[in-house]
Amino acid sequence: MRLVFAAFNVSFGGVAGFVRPIIMPMAVGAVEASGHKPADEYVEQLKGMASGMENVAWFFGQVLFVGTSGAILVKTTLAPLGYDVDLLRLAIIEIPVALIAVGVTAVYYIIKDNHLRRRYCGGDTFAAPARPAAPESSVQAVKEGE
């Protein structure tokens, strides 16, 4: 999703404006909702992974927008070398590169997160804890009140 927004040059403020105040509380909340208390080391690793994903998506996604400084930089750098670069063609060529970069990064972070979950939480998934069964006395009280 972040790649799509970057392709249209829509910034959410990067790491300081998006990852730290929005993504990190959701990530920590997901761990806590599964019944685990996240270790400080695990939270630091989550921060790094969230920031890394933001940077990769923004870096490769911004070239998909033909008016960005990154695309213009590529064009002006290659022009003196004899390459005539069309910005629209550059964006089209960048699509598979961006998808592969984001896909490889996502797979890497999923594998890393699974490893970290086993290390810090003793399991490979954060399944929601089962709801405790209602005490027998409350079930009887409901039946007697009918």
Side-chain angles (χ1 to χ4, degrees), residues 1-12 57-58 60-62 64-65 98-99 102:
M1 184 167 126
R2 183 67 188 102
L3 183 66
V4 173
F5 284 111
F8 290 103
N9 206 27
V10 176
S11 174
F12 293 119
W58 181 253
F60 287 99
Q62 70 180 346
L64 297 175
F65 186 72
L99 292 174
V102 169

Side-chain angles (χ1 to χ4, degrees), residues 135-146:
E136 188 64 35
S137 60
S138 65
V139 173
Q140 267 185 334
V142 171
K143 287 182 179 178
E144 289 173 3
E146 290 179 355

Side-chain angles (χ1 to χ4, degrees), residues 42-120:
Y42 182 56
V43 173
E44 290 301 314
Q45 291 287 330
L46 284 175
K47 286 180 189 176
M49 291 188 294
S51 299
M53 195 70 220
E54 167 70 17
N55 288 335
V56 168
W58 181 253
F59 179 82
F60 287 99
Q62 70 180 346
V63 181
L64 297 175
F65 186 72
V66 294
T68 61
S69 58
I72 295 170
L73 175 67
V74 170
K75 180 180 174 78
T76 58
T77 301
L78 293 177
L81 299 173
Y83 295 100
D84 182 31
V85 177
D86 177 42
L87 291 177
L88 182 59
R89 186 159 185 254
L90 177 67
I92 291 170
I93 291 170
E94 179 66 21
I95 291 171
V97 174
L99 292 174
I100 291 169
V102 169
V104 167
T105 305
V107 168
Y108 170 73
Y109 286 142
I110 288 168
I111 292 168
K112 183 175 181 176
D113 187 52
N114 285 336
H115 171 74
L116 291 171
R117 282 191 239 166
R118 284 190 297 275
R119 181 175 176 187
Y120 291 111

